[in-house]
Amino acid sequence: AAGVIQSPRHLIKEKRETATLKCYPIPRHDTVYWYQQGPGQDPQFLISFYEKMQSDKGSIPDRFSAQQFSDYHSELNMSSLELGDSALYFCASSNTGLADKQETQYFGPGTRLLVL
Amino acid sequence: AQKVTQAQTEISVVEKEDVTLDCVYETRDTTYYLFWYKQPPSGELVFLIRRNSFDEQNEISGRYSWNFQKSTSSFNFTITASQVVDSAVYFCALSGRPTGNQFYFGTGTSLTVIP
């Protein structure tokens, strides 16, 4: 079965640079989520999109932005990178459907970002 | 507020032993969902099980079983006859309505199965 695809899998950037992470959800999934997992920590929710509209917002820094495109893939744009942004970034997708329907989130393999 | 507590930071068991991972949650949502995910050393998050708040029936799926008790706000996960490949960090997660679909994760329990 098709899974969530994330690219790149590894990324090394310098401080103050920008980075763009891409996520391709499972086909027919309508919701995409972004999470950040620091070393030894649990994943923290950043932002989500349902049918290309932002649906929920978590602890996403103002330096970060995201969007979901017409083909349902999503991109997380990170600017003015800081050392503390070094983390594993997960994308997850689900088939949420109706507003009250909670479906299981399936996670991609993650993008490991290292900021030097 | 949504909160998930996994009091066990690290657990070590010998292969073939049974092991139970504890999860306690807090939520004000009337409808909520509980999940267990596994994160092996390779880093991906693998979905294991899910439970809805309106369904307290406990089940067994292969070597996995879970015990969901609303009265104590607990959602414990048991692996029977543990194997070395079970070594991973296990996360309990919570989501609900109307709070939102985002997951609130516990801090994880690192399980080591010793051959």
Side-chain angles (χ1 to χ4, degrees):
Chain A
V4 177
I5 298 172
Q6 290 188 247
S7 67
R9 294 291 309 277
H10 301 271
L11 192 57
I12 300 176
K13 290 285 185 179
E14 300 277 344
K15 281 191 340 182
R16 292 180 288 278
E17 285 190 326
T18 61
T20 297
L21 310 184
K22 296 185 178 182
C23 170
Y24 297 86
I26 292 172
R28 291 179 295 281
H29 278 195
D30 52 25
T31 306
V32 167
Y33 310 80
W34 286 98
Y35 292 84
Q36 177 192 57
Q37 185 179 26
Q41 298 180 358
D42 54 288
Q44 295 291 315
F45 171 71
L46 294 178
I47 196 167
S48 64
F49 293 86
Y50 168 65
E51 286 291 347
K52 294 154 280 185
M53 299 289 290
Q54 182 181 309
S55 52
D56 290 303
K57 192 172 184 180
S59 51
I60 184 170
D62 292 340
R63 300 176 289 108
F64 294 6
S65 65
Q67 58 181 324
Q68 188 178 28
F69 295 86
S70 58
D71 63 352
Y72 290 93
H73 94 273
S74 178
E75 294 182 3
L76 177 66
N77 299 294
M78 311 160 71
S79 62
S80 302
L81 287 170
E82 302 174 354
L83 297 179
D85 296 329
S86 295
L88 184 57
Y89 289 83
F90 285 108
C91 172
S93 75
S94 70
N95 187 8
T96 303
L98 298 177
D100 287 335
K101 188 178 180 184
Q102 169 68 52
E103 288 296 332
T104 300
Q105 294 181 25
Y106 295 92
F107 286 77
T111 294
R112 197 170 293 277
L113 172 66
L114 178 61
V115 181
L116 301 176
Chain B
Q2 309 281 77
K3 185 179 180 182
V4 176
T5 301
Q6 293 179 252
Q8 304 154 308
T9 304
E10 296 180 3
I11 299 178
S12 292
V13 298
V14 177
E15 198 171 19
K16 296 183 183 177
E17 287 185 343
D18 299 347
V19 57
T20 296
L21 308 181
D22 298 333
C23 174
V24 175
Y25 62 92
E26 297 176 29
T27 181
R28 289 180 295 187
D29 288 329
T30 53
T31 299
Y32 54 92
Y33 308 85
L34 295 159
F35 304 81
W36 277 97
Y37 283 81
K38 171 183 177 181
Q39 187 172 41
S42 51
E44 71 271 25
L45 278 168
V46 180
F47 166 70
L48 296 177
I49 57 175
R50 158 208 166 110
R51 206 74 236 167
N52 306 330
S53 57
F54 43 84
D55 181 5
E56 287 194 71
Q57 183 177 2
N58 295 307
E59 296 182 17
I60 297 174
S61 176
R63 294 189 299 111
Y64 298 156
S65 62
W66 50 95
N67 187 350
F68 174 36
Q69 293 192 355
K70 290 180 74 171
S71 60
T72 56
S73 296
S74 64
F75 184 51
N76 298 336
F77 175 62
T78 297
I79 303 173
T80 58
S82 61
Q83 301 174 3
V84 173
V85 293
D86 296 327
S87 296
V89 178
Y90 289 81
F91 288 99
C92 181
L94 166 71
S95 69
R97 284 293 178 188
T99 299
N101 279 347
Q102 69 269 33
F103 279 6
Y104 294 85
F105 285 89
T107 50
T109 298
S110 178
L111 172 65
T112 300
V113 180
I114 304 166

